[in-house]
Amino acid sequence: MKLVTTLKFVMAAGALTVASVSVAQNYKDEYKLSTVVGTAFPWGQGAELWANLVRERTNGRINIKMYPGVSLVQGDQTREFSALRQGVIDLAVGSTINWSPQIQELNVFSLPFLTTTFAGTDAITGGAVGKKLFEIIDQKGAVPLAWGENGFRQLSNSKRIITSPDALKGMKIRVVGSPLFIDTFTALGANPTQMSWADAQPALASGAVDGQENPLSIFIGAKMQNLGQKFVTRWNYMNDPLVFVANKGVWASWTPADQAIVKQAALDAAKQQIAIARTPLAEKVVALGVGVSELTPAQTAEFAKVTRPVYDKWKARIGKELVDMAEAAVASAK
Ligand code: X2X
């Protein structure tokens, strides 16, 4: 608990006197910031930038400590948002995928082939959809501050080059925590299995699963070439935004001036984080001895066609109006 000195008016014996007293504000010694991955990844670097900016700009009043590996929820990233809401976590830089179990609308980003470009992504997060989603996150009980980015998720596997859905047939693919991913990979003919990031790495190493999907920055940071992953398909089938967010009670405990500092620091860190996340990495992956296939527009269209029923099913679940808005944003970005 930190002490903040303020002036307080005291009525004493009928006379108004001014006394300087110390009022305990609910500032904690340390604020816990949750991420899935640490500073070997652009995601963790963005969180670290945020923590550092806040510490500097508040002269240490707000001291943020990083908890990578979603260690505050024992590695179960699908519980991160609930823990944030409950105050087990004070701050997070979290993936919309991991919060989708609690916030159905965040599945919009995981609709297969909604957009394959950064311009499309920016039109969604930077426009009416991004605003609407922030309102929804707020209603669900947290304070969203800035959009970051994990990146376009690419497919990797240990078996063969994949440039068509046929090549995916029967392949065991680790997927993340929203049921939408099970639907997408089932439609593609694969055999998807849901597991946490912590469990995914040993499962790849042992060959319990053949493949997975993640941005190339995650592939490189996790050294997936050493986890048996020999082939990558660059298909940009979805971009995975991050949200810089605060717990509501923690937010309310800060002075308006400190709230403004934390928010601006989130915006500044997120901007840098997105730039880091968008650094081209395909050549680096090739240099690791991994075969990287870039899909032609016709090949991409084939994957999009096969997954279209999943898109339509989930469009109805997410909400037609919101997905229409996202589609309009993408169309305007072209
Ligand atoms: O689990 C994953 O694949 C990761 C690290 O990308 C997320 O947390 C969404």
Side-chain angles (χ1 to χ4, degrees), residues 99-108 133 136 140 178-180 314 317-319 322:
W99 300 354
S100 290
Q102 290 83 37
I103 309 176
Q104 182 86 302
E105 291 87 347
L106 291 179
N107 279 298
V108 66
L133 291 172
I136 294 169
K140 292 275 180 177
S178 166
L180 194 166
W314 280 85
R317 282 199 185 178
I318 293 162
L322 187 72

Side-chain angles (χ1 to χ4, degrees), residues 36 43 77 95 97-98 150 153 174 176 197 214 218 240:
V36 177
W43 182 343
Q77 67 224 56
S95 160
I97 299 172
N98 296 332
N150 189 18
R153 298 178 74 92
R174 173 269 172 171
V176 271
W197 171 241
N214 248 305
I218 299 272
D240 177 11

Side-chain angles (χ1 to χ4, degrees), residues 250-272:
V250 165
W251 183 255
S253 75
W254 290 335
T255 63
D258 279 344
Q259 288 174 351
I261 290 174
V262 173
K263 172 150 193 180
Q264 190 56 49
L267 290 166
D268 294 347
K271 196 171 171 203
Q272 284 189 63

Side-chain angles (χ1 to χ4, degrees), residues 138-153:
D138 182 80
Q139 283 158 15
K140 292 275 180 177
V143 185
L145 300 169
W147 289 103
E149 183 167 301
N150 189 18
F152 274 105
R153 298 178 74 92

